[in-house]
Amino acid sequence: MRSVVMFQAMLVVSTFFLLVLYSSLHKELVDAHKKVVYSPKARSPGPPERREVATRDNATSRHPPAVLNVSISAGFRSAFPENGAYWNRLLHSGFRRLDRGEDPLGAEAPWGLCRENNQEALETNVPDVATYPLFFRRFLQGMKCRSPPLLIDQPAKCEEARGANATFLLFAIKSRPGNFERRQAVRETWGREQLHGGRLSVRTVFLVGAASADDPDLGPLLAFEAGLYGDLLQADFHESLFNLTLKMNAFLRWTLHRCPRVSFVFSGDDDVMVNTPALLRYLESLLPPRAARLYAGQVIRTATPLRDPNSKYFIPMSFYDGPYPVYVGGGGFLVSGALLRPLYSACRAVPFFPIDDVYVGMCFAALRVSPEAHAGFHTFDIREKDRDNLCAYRSLILVHRRSPQQVKKIWRGLQSPLLTC
Ligand SMILES: *[C@@H]1O[C@H](CO)[C@@H](O)[C@H](O)[C@H]1NC(C)=O
Ligand SMILES: *[C@@H]1O[C@H](CO)[C@@H](O)[C@H](O)[C@H]1NC(C)=O
């Protein structure tokens, strides 16, 4: 009995000593660390500005994005004449704010109010707005509404179950509320979440807007789907072609908030077929400087605004006067995680443009990041005679557009050990 008490006492005493020892050691380590950082001897390699930038980056990475000082390339500034076109005027007044050190967007009205009272302003600034098609007027009305609230979030999407490995590739797929079948095909095939080769963590989210009052209410089904698969994001805006830029911006915001350490983002449509193993091989093959500045896909160099009012992509002259930037097709493209924050900041200096892939091209042009052409991205499909040939899919990375059934069939074929090419 006595020896037990003695033993316990010794245990308490030795634990105490260990604690004291540990804390003094720890303090020494911390002090040593401080000395290294702040000692005047260590001054030469790191100018003070650099340290400041690093701290600010660290501080913002855990919060919704803040505007950084972004420098807009001179070439981009001069590409658009400051004339009567509404978008051009918005762009230049944003530049002036930026040059005064202000947020180029000015004060952003809250989501519920940003559309109000715009009608009069539009009539003043765009004299022929009454002749615009309805969808274009809708777009104009909401041009300054950039941050729709999320209805369904996936806060833990990029947190790994164990360990501290960051997500390597995030599939950010543009979908529509009713496209259940397409999403399911993606989940079962190329977009399946997994640790590829035991190392590369792949995650998938589908971003959908909200149904309008005329649509059947899919809310309960979407909530069920989100709970079942954990890969659905929904933001509160009306799903439409000219709201895709809004969707892109909402997604960028979400990624900066929820997946700040992701290495690469693949943004694409829900009706594409992606050869994920080939995509991962390509990403892994990139040397660090290229991996940090990647904006790659099928490069479109010769597009110009369509001035035919009957076109789906009609852009009125009194709205936009300028060329299209060189950009990559929105059916599927890649962006480095390291570029997401600069991209988001640059986009704040570029007024919304109704065509989302052109818009992303503009923001990258403002940053002076040139798109990189990759021959494996076929956003306009491959030759007709190759479409049933599985071997044609082996080396490519993306094909647009495939039905859910075709996606499953091609994917299964590509995985088959019997395939000889
Ligand atoms: C994290 O990555 C390392 C190497 O990249 C790998 O060995 C390890 O298994 C990964 N851990 C988890 C939990 O994924
Ligand atoms: C975009 O979404 C907003 C919010 O739901 C809506 O008011 C607007 O009309 C939509 N714009 C287009 C072009 O459909």
Side-chain angles (χ1 to χ4, degrees):
M1 188 64 202
R2 206 174 150 163
S3 62
V4 173
V5 173
M6 275 278 283
F7 178 73
Q8 278 177 343
M10 268 169 67
L11 204 69
V12 167
V13 169
S14 55
T15 310
F16 177 74
F17 270 112
L18 273 174
L19 272 173
V20 168
L21 189 72
Y22 171 77
S23 63
S24 67
L25 245 162
H26 182 70
K27 185 171 179 304
E28 230 165 68
L29 279 176
V30 169
D31 285 350
H33 179 67
K34 270 188 198 153
K35 267 179 222 138
V36 170
V37 174
Y38 295 116
S39 115
K41 271 189 217 136
R43 197 174 42 195
S44 46
E49 304 87 64
R50 216 154 98 200
R51 207 156 54 213
E52 220 175 270
V53 170
T55 337
R56 194 172 42 194
D57 268 349
N58 280 342
T60 47
S61 65
R62 260 169 260 112
H63 299 286
V67 183
L68 291 185
N69 281 338
V70 57
S71 93
I72 303 296
S73 79
F76 183 74
R77 283 176 183 247
S78 58
F80 307 94
E82 186 172 8
N83 57 16
Y86 184 50
W87 187 93
N88 297 45
R89 276 184 287 146
L90 287 177
L91 178 76
H92 285 278
S93 64
F95 286 160
R96 280 189 287 276
R97 271 193 289 270
L98 191 65
D99 294 340
R100 290 197 298 267
E102 298 165 17
D103 184 340
L105 287 175
E108 196 175 346
W111 179 252
L113 304 172
C114 56
R115 240 167 238 97
E116 278 180 14
N117 307 324
N118 278 356
Q119 196 53 41
E120 210 184 320
L122 283 181
E123 278 160 17
T124 313
N125 284 296
V126 191
D128 58 345
V129 70
T131 68
Y132 282 17
L134 180 63
F135 60 89
F136 211 104
R137 271 180 283 155
R138 286 214 177 109
F139 164 77
L140 274 181
Q141 191 109 40
M143 242 179 114
K144 294 180 182 167
C145 307
R146 295 171 77 107
S147 314
L150 278 184
L151 300 173
I152 300 177
D153 192 3
Q154 299 298 340
K157 175 51 66 180
C158 288
E159 279 166 21
E160 303 302 311
R162 271 178 300 274
N165 290 354
T167 302
F168 183 70
L169 173 65
L170 177 69
F171 282 120
I173 308 306
K174 295 174 271 182
S175 192
R176 298 170 70 95
N179 292 357
F180 296 102
E181 212 184 344
R182 289 185 184 181
R183 288 194 289 275
Q184 193 60 27
V186 172
R187 274 182 203 117
E188 291 178 9
T189 58
W190 56 265
R192 193 155 67 85
E193 302 195 313
Q194 56 182 312
L195 203 60
H196 274 269
R199 287 175 302 124
L200 307 177
S201 147
V202 175
R203 291 285 175 268
T204 300
V205 278
F206 299 94
L207 183 54
V208 303
S212 73
D214 294 337
D215 295 327
D217 181 12
L218 300 180
L221 285 179
L222 292 172
F224 179 74
E225 184 186 0
L228 195 57
Y229 298 109
D231 58 10
L232 201 64
L233 285 178
Q234 188 183 31
D236 193 7
F237 63 86
H238 171 61
E239 188 70 62
S240 75
L241 182 67
F242 274 16
N243 262 344
L244 283 180
T245 299
L246 178 63
K247 180 180 280 195
M248 196 285 304
N249 200 61
F251 181 73
L252 208 45
R253 258 177 91 86
W254 179 86
T255 310
L256 286 173
H257 184 38
R258 300 298 194 193
C259 302
R261 296 195 306 135
V262 66
S263 303
F264 298 98
V265 172
F266 171 98
S267 167
D269 292 339
D270 62 0
D271 59 347
V272 298
M273 160 73 209
V274 178
N275 185 344
T276 308
L279 173 58
L280 291 170
R281 276 197 299 277
Y282 165 64
L283 291 175
E284 271 207 295
S285 75
L286 297 172
L287 295 175
R290 252 172 97 211
R293 268 178 95 77
L294 193 70
Y295 167 44
Q298 180 165 20
V299 172
I300 299 169
R301 293 181 191 281
T302 51
T304 50
L306 298 177
R307 305 300 190 184
D308 171 7
N310 298 315
S311 158
K312 183 172 141 186
Y313 293 110
F314 169 54
I315 302 294
M317 196 70 195
S318 59
F319 171 70
Y320 177 80
D321 184 5
Y324 276 174
V326 179
Y327 66 100
V328 300
F333 64 95
L334 291 165
V335 176
S336 304
L339 279 183
L340 295 176
R341 189 169 290 279
L343 177 66
Y344 184 80
S345 300
C347 284
R348 285 187 83 81
V350 183
F352 268 5
F353 190 81
I355 305 173
D356 64 331
D357 47 9
V358 171
Y359 183 71
V360 172
M362 288 170 169
C363 300
F364 273 123
L367 280 179
R368 231 184 315 165
V369 172
S370 325
E372 178 163 325
H374 189 298
F377 285 72
H378 297 268
T379 53
F380 301 109
D381 213 334
I382 51 178
R383 288 181 304 181
E384 196 153 3
K385 69 177 176 71
D386 289 339
R387 288 182 195 165
D388 291 326
N389 174 9
L390 278 176
C391 292
Y393 293 88
R394 280 226 318 183
S395 57
L396 56 72
I397 288 186
L398 169 137
V399 187
H400 193 221
R401 62 186 38 232
R402 291 293 180 272
S403 71
Q405 290 73 20
Q406 287 167 329
V407 166
K408 287 206 69 168
K409 201 169 150 208
I410 298 168
W411 181 256
R412 224 181 307 125
L414 284 178
Q415 311 300 306
S416 167
L418 303 177
L419 179 67
T420 36
C421 293

